[in-house]
Amino acid sequence: MPLKLLKEEEGLSPMLREFRSIVDKERINSVVFIGSVGVCQPFAELFYYAIRDKDGYFIPNGDLSKVKKLIVDDSGVSMKKIKEIQNTDAVVLFGGLAMPRYGVDVEKIKNVLNLLSPKCVIGICFMSIFQKSDWDKKINFDYLIDGYIRAKVYTKEK
C-alpha cells in the first residue's frame, strides 16, 4: 500500500524526533532494529538513544542467532549478546539492508518479520534506498522515514 507524505524537514534531528513521536503515538514499549553490520549498527544505537526508556534490540543482517540487547550505559549505548528477544511491539528496518553490496535478501527479512509479528514496521533509510530497491513494495511499512544528506567540504585557501 502506498505511503502518504506527512511532513518534510532537513537534518538528522527531525528524523530522531519523528521516530520518537511514532514510538510514543503507537504506544510501543519494545523495538527491534534490523540493519546491516557496520553501517546500520551506529544508527540503531543513535535511534535507540532517542527512545532509551524502551526495550531495544539489534539484529545484524536479520540473523536471529546474533541478536543483541541495546543498553544505555555511561558511554552511551552498547550491545550485549542474548539468546532471544523477549517481545517486540515494533521492528525498524534500516536502509543498509536494501543496498546491493550487503546482499540481504528481502525474503529473509520478510520471514523475520513474520516470526517477530510486530504491530508496527518502521523503515529508516537515506537517499530513498527502500524505494530505489523496491523494498517499499515488498515490505508492508507502517511508517517510512527517508533522510537526505548533503555534504559540503571546505578547506583553507592557499
Side-chain angles (χ1 to χ4, degrees):
M1 174 190 313
L3 297 170
K4 177 179 84 172
L5 180 64
L6 295 177
K7 65 171 65 173
E8 193 170 340
E9 296 182 74
E10 288 187 20
L12 193 53
S13 291
M15 291 178 75
L16 295 166
R17 190 173 43 253
E18 290 303 320
F19 174 64
R20 176 67 198 207
S21 173
I22 291 167
V23 167
D24 288 344
K25 180 173 74 169
E26 295 292 334
R27 295 190 172 115
I28 292 168
N29 292 311
S30 59
V31 177
V32 171
F33 297 92
I34 303 175
S36 59
V37 175
V39 176
C40 298
Q41 181 175 332
F43 284 103
E45 293 172 355
L46 178 63
F47 277 85
Y48 176 67
Y49 194 77
I51 58 159
R52 59 193 171 275
D53 56 325
K54 313 293 182 185
D55 288 332
Y57 306 90
F58 180 71
I59 303 174
N61 296 330
D63 184 346
L64 286 166
S65 71
K66 295 182 179 176
V67 65
K68 310 271 192 295
K69 172 100 171 108
L70 293 160
I71 301 162
V72 176
D73 58 22
D74 61 355
S75 64
V77 177
S78 61
M79 297 187 184
K80 175 184 173 188
K81 185 160 177 44
I82 59 173
K83 292 189 187 295
E84 64 183 43
I85 297 168
Q86 299 303 316
N87 62 4
T88 188
D89 293 328
V91 169
V92 172
L93 300 178
F94 284 107
L97 295 167
M99 295 175 71
R101 76 176 87 166
Y102 295 108
V104 180
D105 183 23
V106 70
E107 293 303 319
K108 174 183 180 178
I109 300 304
K110 287 169 71 172
N111 288 336
V112 172
L113 288 172
N114 285 334
L115 286 170
L116 296 175
S117 189
K119 67 180 182 181
C120 183
V121 178
I122 303 166
I124 298 177
C125 68
F126 292 95
M127 313 303 284
S128 301
I129 190 63
F130 281 132
Q131 296 93 323
K132 290 175 182 173
S133 64
D134 287 335
W135 277 45
D136 64 323
K137 294 175 183 74
K138 298 171 184 173
I139 300 287
N140 189 19
F141 290 110
D142 294 289
Y143 298 92
L144 181 58
I145 300 172
D146 184 14
Y148 287 82
I149 297 174
R150 179 180 306 156
K152 293 182 179 183
V153 179
Y154 297 92
T155 187
K156 182 171 60 172
E157 288 187 34
K158 295 182 182 186

